[in-house]
Amino acid sequence: MPLKSRRGDHRLGTGQATREFFFVEDAAAAIVLATESYNKSEPVNIGPGFEISIKDLVALIAELTDFKGKITWDPTKPDGQPRRMLDTTRAFQEFGFKAKTGFREGLKKTIDWYRADRL
Protein backbone atom coordinates (compact mmCIF):
# COMPACT_ATOMS: atom_id res chain seq x y z
CA MET A 1 0.00 0.00 0.00
CA PRO A 2 1.54 3.34 -1.03
CA LEU A 3 1.88 5.95 1.67
CA LYS A 4 0.16 9.25 0.98
CA SER A 5 1.65 12.63 1.65
CA ARG A 6 -0.25 14.43 4.37
CA ARG A 7 1.42 17.82 4.05
CA GLY A 8 2.26 18.04 0.38
CA ASP A 9 5.49 17.29 -1.37
CA HIS A 10 7.56 20.37 -0.58
CA ARG A 11 10.95 19.90 1.10
CA LEU A 12 13.07 22.62 2.63
CA GLY A 13 16.58 23.20 1.37
CA THR A 14 18.53 21.35 -1.31
CA GLY A 15 18.61 17.93 0.33
CA GLN A 16 22.41 17.90 0.24
CA ALA A 17 22.89 17.79 4.01
CA THR A 18 23.72 14.33 5.32
CA ARG A 19 22.48 12.49 8.38
CA GLU A 20 23.16 9.21 10.14
CA PHE A 21 20.28 6.91 11.05
CA PHE A 22 20.64 4.02 13.48
CA PHE A 23 18.33 0.99 13.35
CA VAL A 24 16.83 0.40 16.79
CA GLU A 25 17.79 -3.29 17.01
CA ASP A 26 21.43 -2.37 16.36
CA ALA A 27 21.24 0.42 18.94
CA ALA A 28 19.87 -1.99 21.54
CA ALA A 29 22.60 -4.53 20.75
CA ALA A 30 25.28 -1.84 21.08
CA ILE A 31 23.95 -0.72 24.45
CA VAL A 32 23.85 -4.28 25.78
CA LEU A 33 27.36 -4.99 24.48
CA ALA A 34 28.72 -1.77 25.98
CA THR A 35 27.03 -2.47 29.31
CA GLU A 36 28.54 -5.95 29.45
CA SER A 37 31.99 -5.14 28.06
CA TYR A 38 32.92 -1.50 28.61
CA ASN A 39 33.90 -0.17 32.01
CA LYS A 40 35.75 3.08 31.31
CA SER A 41 34.76 6.68 31.92
CA GLU A 42 35.44 7.94 28.38
CA PRO A 43 32.30 8.29 26.24
CA VAL A 44 31.84 6.03 23.24
CA ASN A 45 29.76 6.87 20.20
CA ILE A 46 27.57 4.12 18.81
CA GLY A 47 26.05 4.29 15.37
CA PRO A 48 25.99 2.66 11.97
CA GLY A 49 29.01 4.47 10.54
CA PHE A 50 26.98 5.42 7.47
CA GLU A 51 25.47 8.71 6.36
CA ILE A 52 22.99 9.53 3.63
CA SER A 53 21.94 12.80 2.06
CA ILE A 54 18.43 13.97 2.83
CA LYS A 55 17.71 13.96 -0.91
CA ASP A 56 18.80 10.30 -1.24
CA LEU A 57 16.84 9.43 1.90
CA VAL A 58 13.66 10.98 0.51
CA ALA A 59 14.15 9.16 -2.81
CA LEU A 60 14.64 5.85 -1.01
CA ILE A 61 11.58 6.36 1.18
CA ALA A 62 9.57 7.22 -1.92
CA GLU A 63 10.80 4.03 -3.61
CA LEU A 64 10.13 1.77 -0.63
CA THR A 65 6.65 3.22 -0.06
CA ASP A 66 5.64 3.34 -3.73
CA PHE A 67 5.19 7.09 -3.48
CA LYS A 68 4.48 8.40 -6.98
CA GLY A 69 4.00 12.07 -6.19
CA LYS A 70 6.29 14.91 -7.11
CA ILE A 71 9.06 15.83 -4.70
CA THR A 72 10.34 19.39 -4.88
CA TRP A 73 13.14 21.14 -3.03
CA ASP A 74 13.34 24.77 -2.02
CA PRO A 75 16.97 25.89 -2.24
CA THR A 76 16.03 29.31 -0.85
CA LYS A 77 15.50 27.63 2.53
CA PRO A 78 18.35 26.42 4.74
CA ASP A 79 19.60 22.84 4.70
CA GLY A 80 20.51 22.94 8.37
CA GLN A 81 23.77 21.53 9.64
CA PRO A 82 25.65 20.17 6.57
CA ARG A 83 26.70 16.89 8.13
CA ARG A 84 25.83 14.76 11.15
CA MET A 85 27.73 11.53 11.61
CA LEU A 86 29.47 10.12 14.65
CA ASP A 87 32.92 8.58 14.73
CA THR A 88 32.17 5.08 16.00
CA THR A 89 35.76 3.78 15.83
CA ARG A 90 36.06 3.52 19.61
CA ALA A 91 32.95 1.30 19.89
CA PHE A 92 34.56 -1.22 17.56
CA GLN A 93 37.97 -0.97 19.22
CA GLU A 94 36.71 -1.17 22.80
CA PHE A 95 33.93 -3.74 22.58
CA GLY A 96 33.71 -4.91 18.98
CA PHE A 97 30.47 -3.19 18.02
CA LYS A 98 29.64 -2.78 14.36
CA ALA A 99 26.06 -2.27 13.19
CA LYS A 100 24.69 -5.34 11.39
CA THR A 101 21.59 -3.94 9.72
CA GLY A 102 22.10 -2.28 6.36
CA PHE A 103 20.44 1.09 5.93
CA ARG A 104 17.98 -0.01 3.25
CA GLU A 105 17.04 -3.13 5.22
CA GLY A 106 16.48 -1.16 8.43
CA LEU A 107 14.41 1.46 6.64
CA LYS A 108 12.29 -1.25 4.98
CA LYS A 109 11.71 -2.96 8.35
CA THR A 110 10.69 0.38 9.85
CA ILE A 111 8.26 1.11 7.01
CA ASP A 112 6.80 -2.40 7.27
CA TRP A 113 6.36 -1.97 11.03
CA TYR A 114 4.70 1.41 10.51
CA ARG A 115 2.29 -0.01 7.95
CA ALA A 116 1.41 -2.99 10.13
CA ASP A 117 1.05 -1.15 13.43
CA ARG A 118 0.17 2.43 12.58
CA LEU A 119 -1.96 2.48 9.44
Side-chain angles (χ1 to χ4, degrees), residues 74-119:
D74 185 351
T76 66
K77 304 294 186 205
D79 277 325
Q81 184 177 356
R83 183 174 187 227
R84 287 192 192 159
M85 185 175 147
L86 299 172
D87 179 356
T88 59
T89 305
R90 186 179 288 161
F92 183 74
Q93 292 172 340
E94 294 290 341
F95 48 90
F97 176 75
K98 182 168 174 45
K100 294 179 180 166
T101 308
F103 181 74
R104 183 185 186 94
E105 176 189 356
L107 186 57
K108 173 114 176 55
K109 285 181 178 182
T110 302
I111 290 166
D112 290 346
W113 166 83
Y114 181 83
R115 285 180 165 158
D117 293 346
R118 300 288 184 189
L119 293 180

Side-chain angles (χ1 to χ4, degrees), residues 46-67:
I46 56 173
F50 167 82
E51 63 188 318
I52 186 170
S53 73
I54 299 302
K55 187 173 268 188
D56 288 345
L57 171 64
V58 169
L60 183 55
I61 291 170
E63 175 190 332
L64 294 175
T65 61
D66 297 319
F67 178 75

Side-chain angles (χ1 to χ4, degrees), residues 17-55:
T18 62
R19 298 293 181 264
E20 178 177 37
F21 295 90
F22 199 9
F23 188 59
V24 68
E25 291 174 9
D26 287 336
I31 293 167
V32 168
L33 190 59
T35 301
E36 295 172 345
S37 307
Y38 188 70
N39 194 25
K40 296 181 181 177
S41 61
E42 295 85 17
V44 177
N45 294 324
I46 56 173
F50 167 82
E51 63 188 318
I52 186 170
S53 73
I54 299 302
K55 187 173 268 188

